[in-house]
Amino acid sequence: MPRIAIRHGRLGDPGPGDPAPAAGLTVGVEEEFLLLDPGTGATLPRAAAILAADPPLPPGARLHRELRPTQVEASTGVCTEARQVREQLAGNRAALADVARVHGAVIASCGTPVLSGPSTSDGQDGRFGDIDRIYRGVVGDYEACGCHVHVGVPDPETAVGVMNHLRPWLPSLLALSVNSPFDRGRDTGYGSWRMVQQSRFPGAGIPPYFPDLESYRAEVGRLVACGALVDESMTFWLVRPSTAFPTVEFRVADALSTVDDAVLQTVLSRALVRRALHDVADGTAPPEFSGQVGAAALWAAARDGIDGEGVHPLRVRRVPAWQLVEELVRHVAPALDETGDRDLVAAGLARLRHDGSGARRQRKAAAAGLPALLATITHQG
């Protein structure tokens, strides 16, 4: 849900041994997980017990409460290399799996649950209670999970300029991450049903263009005044400046089945920010496109992922989804070279071409039965 959760340091701050890392170098990742019954695959409200157990995590990593008691979020510390991200994500998953097992659950990394348990939306307090009160039936059964990537930027004003340059690339990031084809035991026909669920919220999707930070804050303030948002730290846009840290936050990806998929999403997001920082510094104008065409591109990505046609938001036509991905990689190639991530991205994309998206892998496993599907989306430890 729309919330900043990292509690260790400030994303974008220097890491150990690096007194002044370049803007767009530091990253942090938040992963949301579902808690499932290992026998039935239904969601279980075990988050309070798991958080109270306070399992040992990698340095700087933290656990956080999520909207529903069937969910828990794990965040990394501040990282500067893909290797660090991989180690922390793997460590978080292993620690969560161990403590979940003690409480009769397994952790699942997917955008939506295959099977939901009883409703868990009653009687919440605080901010989550406000969310239940305002959005009502939209969140009553909302157990969607995402993989959120924070990338360091110099200041909030720059963050808005960067965000403007990121807008046309968000559908391609979604297409690479689709991992929520099922909803309450049915195949929805979509790669990311989570994105369909998110579209129900006011202002969801690709953010509009903002000329500066003042106009961004004014628009958020208007949405709060209209009662569409709980407060100024909440928006439903898929990329936004953090209100707590000097970062741009990507909220586009489904929760990803594997650490490799999450690392790929992280390094591509960072490369997009680094390229955008160069463009902002050079005075390059961000690309303009119709908000409705952008919504169509996002919808196409949610439906077919990398397995069909996407919509090119700038050329306003349908093209193969992989063509859009290849264009993204060409766009960020210099940034990938700067961070040494070009080979990692090439290997990750080759793996996706061979194995398919998370959604395709879920469908393939489901054809063999529920145990195979659960093995695909859960971390057993």
Side-chain angles (χ1 to χ4, degrees):
M1 286 301 295
R3 168 175 79 85
I4 302 297
I6 292 181
R7 300 287 183 253
H8 178 74
R10 288 167 21 116
L11 290 173
D13 277 358
D18 186 2
L25 179 63
T26 56
V27 291
V29 183
E30 301 165 347
E31 290 194 296
E32 297 167 343
F33 299 97
L34 290 165
L35 305 171
L36 305 184
D37 183 306
T40 68
T43 52
L44 286 175
R46 298 285 192 271
I50 289 171
L51 292 171
D54 192 23
L57 301 172
R62 295 290 185 271
L63 297 184
H64 312 285
R65 179 186 173 193
E66 253 302 323
L67 177 66
R68 302 268 79 92
T70 55
Q71 299 170 285
V72 65
E73 179 181 88
S75 63
T76 71
V78 181
C79 302
T80 57
E81 298 178 3
R83 171 189 54 81
Q84 294 174 293
V85 175
R86 184 186 305 279
E87 291 172 353
Q88 292 216 9
L89 292 178
N92 285 351
R93 291 184 181 212
L96 269 177
D98 287 344
V99 72
R101 189 183 309 111
V102 172
H103 294 283
V106 291
I107 62 164
S109 189
C110 52
T112 53
V114 177
L115 297 168
S116 293
S119 174
T120 57
S121 62
D122 296 332
Q124 296 206 101
D125 56 9
R127 192 165 187 268
F128 287 148
D130 291 339
I131 290 172
D132 282 341
R133 175 180 55 82
I134 291 173
Y135 300 109
R136 304 175 189 178
V138 170
V139 295
D141 59 355
Y142 190 82
E143 296 175 292
C145 293
C147 174
H148 303 162
V149 179
H150 286 257
V151 184
V153 292
D155 53 69
E157 190 74 55
T158 303
V160 172
V162 165
M163 183 175 72
N164 289 332
H165 284 271
L166 300 176
R167 296 168 63 241
W169 307 106
L170 298 176
S172 293
L173 289 179
L174 174 62
L176 287 167
S177 76
V178 294
N179 192 36
S180 52
F182 297 110
D183 179 61
R184 292 174 183 78
R186 72 185 179 101
D187 188 330
T188 65
Y190 279 72
S192 176
W193 192 246
R194 163 184 164 269
M195 191 56 57
V196 175
Q197 290 183 326
Q198 282 202 328
S199 69
R200 304 170 185 173
F201 292 99
I206 299 173
Y209 167 83
F210 292 102
D212 50 37
L213 178 62
E214 181 181 2
S215 63
Y216 173 85
R217 288 176 171 168
E219 184 70 1
V220 173
R222 284 189 285 267
L223 291 171
V224 173
C226 291
L229 301 179
V230 170
D231 53 39
E232 285 78 6
S233 66
M234 169 187 272
T235 74
F236 296 101
W237 293 316
L238 297 178
V239 66
R240 66 188 186 183
S242 169
T243 58
F245 308 105
T247 66
V248 169
E249 181 188 13
F250 291 81
R251 306 175 56 80
V252 64
D254 282 357
L256 293 152
S257 295
T258 70
V259 169
D260 284 341
D261 287 345
V263 172
L264 176 63
Q265 189 76 197
T266 300
V267 298
L268 285 174
S269 298
R270 177 169 67 172
L272 281 167
V273 170
R274 288 178 70 82
R275 171 61 193 263
L277 284 167
H278 286 297
D279 289 341
V280 169
D282 291 344
T284 302
E288 298 181 8
F289 59 93
S290 158
Q292 290 298 297
V293 172
L298 197 66
W299 169 75
R303 187 186 65 181
D304 293 329
I306 52 176
D307 291 327
E309 287 188 319
V311 172
H312 199 300
L314 306 182
R315 298 177 186 172
V316 195
R317 61 184 176 87
R318 290 179 291 175
V319 298
W322 274 108
Q323 180 177 322
L324 293 170
V325 171
E326 290 162 358
E327 186 172 329
L328 186 159
V329 173
R330 288 194 299 272
H331 177 71
V332 300
L336 292 173
D337 288 337
E338 289 170 0
T339 55
D341 291 329
R342 186 191 281 255
D343 290 344
L344 185 154
V345 167
L349 295 179
R351 185 180 61 253
L352 283 177
R353 282 186 181 274
H354 182 269
D355 297 338
S357 66
R360 191 204 297 178
R361 299 194 301 265
Q362 282 198 50
R363 288 188 171 108
K364 181 179 179 180
L370 181 61
L373 176 55
L374 292 181
T376 298
I377 62 175
T378 61
H379 186 107
Q380 305 291 338

